[in-house]
Each structure stands twice: as C-alpha cells, then as structure tokens.
Amino acid sequence: MVTPTSPDAGPATVLVLDDNDTTRYVVGSWLRRSGHTVVEAVDGAQALALLERSPATELPELAVVDISLPDMTGFEVCERIKGAPRTAALPVVHISATAIEASDRTQGLHRGADAYLTEPIDPAELQATVTAVLRYTRARRRAERLAARVAALHRSTLALYGATDPDALAGSAALGAVRLGAARATAIALGPDRDTLHLAHHDPGLPDGPEVRLFEAPPVLLDLLAHHTLGDATGAGTALLDAEAWSAVLADHGLAGTGLPTGPVAVVTARTKPGRPPLAVVVDGDALAAPDERDLLPQLTQAAALALEAQRSQAEEHALALTLQRSFLPGRLPAVPGVELAVRYEPASARSEIGGDFYEAIDTPDGLLLAIGDVAGHSLEAAMAMGELRHALRAYAIEGHDPQTLLHRLDTLLTRLRPGLTATVCLVLIAPDRRSVRIANAGHLPPLLRLPDGSARYLSEHGILLGLNVPQPPTTEYPVPPGSTLLLVTDGLIEVPGEHLQTGLDTLRDAFADAPPELDRAGDLLLSAFARAQTDDIALLIARLD
C-alpha cells in the first residue's frame, strides 16, 4: 500500500525518465495514486527537450531518473539539469536496478542527485523519498523567495525615505508592492498641504513595459479606505474589497476607466500618528494569498507612511522656521525723500534648511543706511543669528555710529554670542544730499552702482567677514550723480555650483546695466533671470538716488 502524500509536500508534477516501459508504468502508477501528476520520457534527450520547452510556471517539481538510458547515463542527465539556470533547482531522485553499488550511489549524489534508490523499490520508500525531497525543495524555495522579498522590502524602504516629494513617494510605494509580488499596485497618499491626493499606479503588464502613472483624486478617498481597514487607529490594517465594492469606489471618486485594478482588491492602509491622514496601498486581491505577502506588504505600507510623515514634518518645520525667519526681516522700508527703495526676498526650496540672509534700511541722522548680509550656514541657528545681527545693527545705527564702527560692534557681538559663526555684511550710508555714499563691506559681495548713462560697476573695496575678531578697514566714499541706482544682493542670486563666482558677478553687472528703470520690474527681472537653480536664500535691495 502506498503511503499518502504528506501535506507538507502536497501533490506535484513529477517527470519519470526510464526506458523500461514496465518500470515507468509502475513508478508512474505509484505516484499518480498519491495525487501527483506524472509526465514521462524514455531517454535523456526527450526528457531534456521536455524541460526546455516547458514554461517556467509549468516545469515539473521533481524528476525521477533511471541511471541506465539508451542515449546517455542518468548521471549526465542530472548534471545537465543542474547545469541549466532554469532547471538548476529541480530536484532529481535516481533509481537503478543495475548501478546499485555504494560507489554508484556516491557518484550519483556527488553529480547532483538529491536522493538515490535501488531496485527493487518499495512503494512506501519511494513515496517517502519524494515527499522528503519535495518538502525540502519547497522549504528552500520559500526561504529564497522570502529572502528576495525581504531584500526587495529593504530596497523599497530606502527608496521611500529617499523620495523628495509625495509623487515620488507614492511611485516608490507602488513599485515596492510589485517587487513584493503584487501583479499591479496603486499607492495613495495625501501630500503635506492636505489638499492634494497623490495616486500612483504601477502595472508591469502594460504593453510598453512597467511605468508609474500619477492621478489626482479627492482626499475623501483615503478616509473611505481607512474606514474599511484602520478606522481611527494607528498602525497598519488590511481589508479585502470585492469587485463590486471596489468598482463603486472608483466610480464615486472619478477613477473609473483610468486603468486601475477593477477588483477584487486588497487594501492596506497605515497611519503613524493619531489624527493624521493614512497612506494606502491597493493590490489585486490574490496578492495577499501567500503568507509572505500578508506580512511584508503591511510593512511596506507602514514604511511609506513613516516616510510621508517625515515629509510632512519637514514641511511643517520649514514653514514654521520660514515664518520665524521672515519675522526677523523689516516689516516696511523707511520713506526718505529723494531715495526710492525696492526689496526682494526669496527663500530656498521647501526641502532646504533656512538660511541667514537679511537686508535692512535705517533712516539715521547721518543719512539712509542700507545693509545686506548673510550668516554662514543653513539652520535655525543661522536664522537666529541673522535676527540678532539685524536688531543690533538698528540699535547701533540709531546711536549714530559710522559704518566702520558698526561693523566692529557687530563683529564683537557675533564673536561673543555666537562663537564659531561667521557672517558677511555690506553697509552703504547714503549722504543726506544723496550725492555720495560711504561703504563698509565685511566680506560680502560688492554693491553695484549703475550710473545715469547706463554703465554699471562694482564698488569693490572691502574687508574680512565678521566673526573672526579682525579689524575692518576705514569706510570708502564714492560720489554718485543724480539718477544713480545701487544694487545689493546675497550670493544666492548668482552662485551656481561648479561655476566660478566671477562669472556670475560679470553676468549680474551686465544684466543690471540693461535692467528697466522701474525698481520693482528690475527686481523681478533679476530674480527670474538668475534664480534658475536656486539652492540658497536670496536677498536683493535696490535704491535709486534722485
């Protein structure tokens, strides 16, 4: 009597290779009675051809190979099976009525066989051997598949945390779900603005190959998916929606006919903090049939939710810091007869830290004092130091100090209160009659002077930056005819990585010489022309002396 197949192994497709019709029939009968499907071959060439033309999903799971064959030995067949990449994992059980010595069995195992039986074969022993080999092979395949999926989860998690915006994050989440075994996947996330739903769909079966397509949908879609899975809880939750329920969801939110799965689907949502919008990953319903996918897909979704939370936190912190930074800048400019002023301030991108750029205009007894500066670094500390310098400058200027003394006092303040920080500051004092300016420049970009005839030149004399406790040179006085215009900028306007700063200075000088006389138009033109690859804050101050 044949022992039933172990549930751990389960039925399999088995290739029986033997040139003896009787043996092939008997072995095949035993295997069929145990639930296996049997395919037969009478020689090595036929068996190898069968394996070669079988689709990867229909390959036998085990081969029972006789040693004595008419065209080659079973040893050779086994070696060729194990040597081909698509069949290398196919287990081979040798049987033989003639090669029964210990040396034969040793040779067979050394040349790749997984088991070796000699005739007469006991049916129970054959079935037990087949069961053991299948159990081991399937366990090894599960382990290899799980290892590959875990590696895919690791790569996908790195991609999620490297995503720079919600669209990239949703695309990485959808791609990651496909790498974990889903046939198709859709990731849905609500961006930091909480107004735009970012939906990415990944379908490897598209005619042109895998691609990520982005859609927009109402934010209420996430609330509905969370209702089916998480409710108001945190963590990860999973739900199955049949085709009818999912089709209704797509139709209700304007996504019918967009190529998304039509159901049934599995929905996995994750939320990291109470009250936060969840993130959802939707896959075909059978994608969670295997235990590995049931465990790994929620982990991927949770990682995506954490990465999105990091983007939200960064956006919120940047907005708060930017609000603080703007509070350090002047709320309004002084109205001084004969001087027209215009300023522009552009923060760096939302993904950059705030900087220490500032500008100031102060009406003093000795004339209108213009200032522009930049504290080194991009951090909240740099912004705080900028605010301290600007407020100290106002206090010192109101006391009536000349520009050189102002720089000296600012340097003392910075070295004592913020040791290790440095800053560049350029001061321009416009005389009350507006016919001359006095300049003290501590390592900043030189101011540009455009004369009424349209020519422009830099007022380039300057000292060393602040924060080093080094004396500043005396101020330099320049005559300015009526109708002249001054431009003060921070380096964020012209600095381009990999390009010499002088190139940017020359280009700025030429552009300012040709800029329109209206200060607001000139400021807008300079910003649009130069802030093309902005990685730093930009401060710009223009003054025309009539």
Side-chain angles (χ1 to χ4, degrees), residues 53 123 190 219 312 320 340 502 518:
R53 66 174 179 265
L190 190 62
R312 289 179 180 140
L320 179 62
E340 181 182 355
Q502 188 60 48
E518 297 84 359

Side-chain angles (χ1 to χ4, degrees), residues 191-525:
D193 58 10
R194 298 209 179 194
D195 293 326
T196 304
L197 200 64
H198 303 262
L199 187 152
H201 177 59
H202 188 88
D203 186 354
L206 293 172
D208 296 331
E211 70 170 356
V212 174
R213 288 179 291 158
L214 301 174
F215 302 91
E216 290 190 2
V220 70
L221 172 60
L222 267 181
D223 297 332
L224 176 62
L225 298 180
H227 171 74
H228 287 287
T229 53
L230 272 178
D232 296 328
T234 58
T238 304
L240 296 175
L241 298 182
D242 59 29
E244 182 179 356
W246 179 242
S247 295
V249 170
L250 295 180
D252 292 344
H253 296 87
L255 295 172
T258 56
L260 300 183
T262 55
V265 297
V267 180
V268 184
T269 62
R271 181 187 288 113
T272 57
K273 293 181 179 179
R276 289 288 204 183
L279 181 142
V281 175
V282 182
V283 297
D284 290 302
D286 58 359
L288 296 184
D292 295 347
E293 283 75 10
R294 286 201 299 270
D295 295 336
L296 295 180
L297 193 57
Q299 292 184 46
L300 173 74
T301 309
Q302 185 79 358
L306 288 169
L308 182 61
E309 184 61 34
Q311 286 189 10
R312 289 179 180 140
S313 298
Q314 183 183 32
E316 291 168 357
E317 292 173 4
H318 189 271
L320 179 62
L322 187 58
T323 300
L324 177 63
Q325 183 182 23
R326 287 188 181 278
S327 71
F328 294 152
L329 299 174
R332 59 185 179 85
L333 298 174
V336 176
V339 180
E340 181 182 355
L341 298 175
V343 294
R344 292 292 183 273
Y345 179 81
E346 287 292 332
S349 67
R351 295 187 298 274
S352 301
E353 293 186 274
I354 62 173
D357 292 20
F358 71 95
Y359 62 86
E360 184 59 276
I362 308 167
D363 191 7
T364 75
D366 294 329
L368 179 63
L369 180 69
L370 306 180
I372 195 157
D374 185 2
V375 177
H378 293 84
S379 63
L380 185 59
E381 183 184 15
M384 295 290 291
M386 175 267 284
E388 292 168 353
L389 284 179
R390 176 180 161 262
H391 289 301
L393 174 63
R394 291 186 65 87
Y396 296 148
I398 291 173
E399 291 177 354
H401 298 292
D402 65 275
Q404 182 189 24
T405 303
L406 291 174
L407 290 183
H408 171 71
R409 295 202 169 195
L410 292 178
D411 182 61
T412 301
L413 178 73
L414 189 61
T415 53
R416 290 183 180 179
L417 297 185
R418 301 279 182 177
L421 276 185
T422 59
T424 63
V425 177
C426 181
L427 302 179
V428 177
L429 181 62
I430 302 174
D433 62 3
R434 300 175 300 284
R435 299 288 74 85
S436 65
V437 295
R438 297 171 62 194
I439 295 178
N441 188 347
H444 198 79
L445 295 181
L448 255 175
L449 175 65
R450 186 176 66 184
L451 299 174
D453 62 5
S455 61
R457 67 185 182 95
Y458 286 103
L459 309 180
S460 55
E461 288 79 6
H462 66 278
I464 197 166
L465 49 75
L466 304 181
L468 302 179
N469 196 25
V470 175
Q472 295 292 329
T475 59
T476 304
E477 186 168 350
Y478 296 91
V480 290
S484 298
T485 307
L486 284 164
L487 172 66
L488 290 77
V489 301
T490 55
D491 57 8
L493 181 67
I494 61 171
E495 194 171 45
V496 177
E499 183 178 289
H500 197 283
L501 183 62
Q502 188 60 48
T503 302
L505 288 171
D506 293 343
T507 307
L508 177 63
R509 180 194 59 216
D510 296 340
F512 184 54
D514 296 331
E518 297 84 359
L519 300 193
D520 286 330
R521 285 185 57 202
D524 292 338
L525 178 66

